[in-house]
Amino acid sequence: MISDVRTGIGWDSHRLVDDRPERPLILGGVTIDSPLALDGHSDADVLTHAVIDALLGAAGLGDIGEHFPDTDERWKGADSIALLAHVVGLVADAGWRITAVDSTVVLERPKLSPYKAAMAARLAATLGIDVERVNVKATTAERMGAVGRGEGAVGQAVATIVRPA
Ligand code: MG
């Protein structure tokens, strides 16, 4: 059977602020031990936001700002994993099956390597796919630019989806 295979990319950035204990730092749905947190209308989970945009892009369903506008009080402080779950439903309703998600989060500190497996597991559970199909990579900006100065974080993702042609 011929399948229609599509890919989408997602990119997001949020500023780091000293807002604890009001805002924890959340990446890929996992709370990271950090004195700083990401600022935004929702929980500002840049990694999950990038995954959402990758899925919406692959399915031709627009972008995260169209679905969850930051002018809408409903999404204030929103759990981004819940937003991802909603988008997974939209993608499934359009007949698509998610086959793989790859992602990178760029953050100067703290080191994210202890959290990568937990982030992949949380994303995979929300995507409804095996964790072996979800990859989370973490890197720094080598002290270059705004992210390198510790002013914020960036998330990037690629999603692959298929449906019968
Ligand atoms: Mg965002």
Side-chain angles (χ1 to χ4, degrees):
M1 186 173 59
I2 299 167
S3 291
D4 191 357
V5 180
R6 298 197 191 170
T7 57
I9 62 167
W11 190 97
D12 193 30
S13 64
H14 281 271
R15 187 180 290 274
L16 278 165
V17 291
D18 187 1
D19 250 9
R20 293 205 86 169
E22 285 76 21
R23 295 182 73 86
L25 174 59
I26 298 174
L27 292 169
V30 174
T31 300
I32 310 294
D33 187 22
S34 165
L36 301 178
L38 292 170
D39 193 25
H41 189 67
S42 69
D43 65 11
D45 181 342
V46 274
L47 180 58
T48 301
H49 290 185
V51 172
I52 287 171
D53 258 355
L55 286 171
L56 290 171
L61 293 172
D63 67 29
I64 189 169
E66 293 170 34
H67 291 269
F68 311 108
D70 62 10
T71 50
D72 192 330
E73 281 301 303
R74 272 184 303 169
W75 314 123
K76 191 168 166 54
D79 172 3
S80 295
I81 287 290
L83 306 185
L84 175 60
H86 177 77
V87 167
V88 167
L90 296 179
V91 170
D93 288 348
W96 297 100
R97 186 165 55 82
I98 300 163
T99 61
V101 169
D102 186 23
S103 64
T104 302
V105 58
V106 191
L107 180 72
E108 212 61 18
R109 66 189 71 84
K111 281 265 177 275
L112 295 175
S113 38
Y115 300 97
K116 286 190 294 187
M119 292 190 278
R122 187 89 204 274
L123 290 170
T126 311
L127 293 163
I129 61 178
D130 195 278
V131 71
E132 167 266 329
R133 294 176 180 271
V134 179
N135 198 69
V136 174
K137 306 184 299 298
T139 190
T140 71
E142 295 283 339
R143 302 199 301 276
M144 294 183 288
V147 174
R149 288 190 296 272
E151 293 173 18
V154 163
Q156 283 185 305
V158 175
T160 306
I161 59 177
V162 297
R163 74 178 171 194

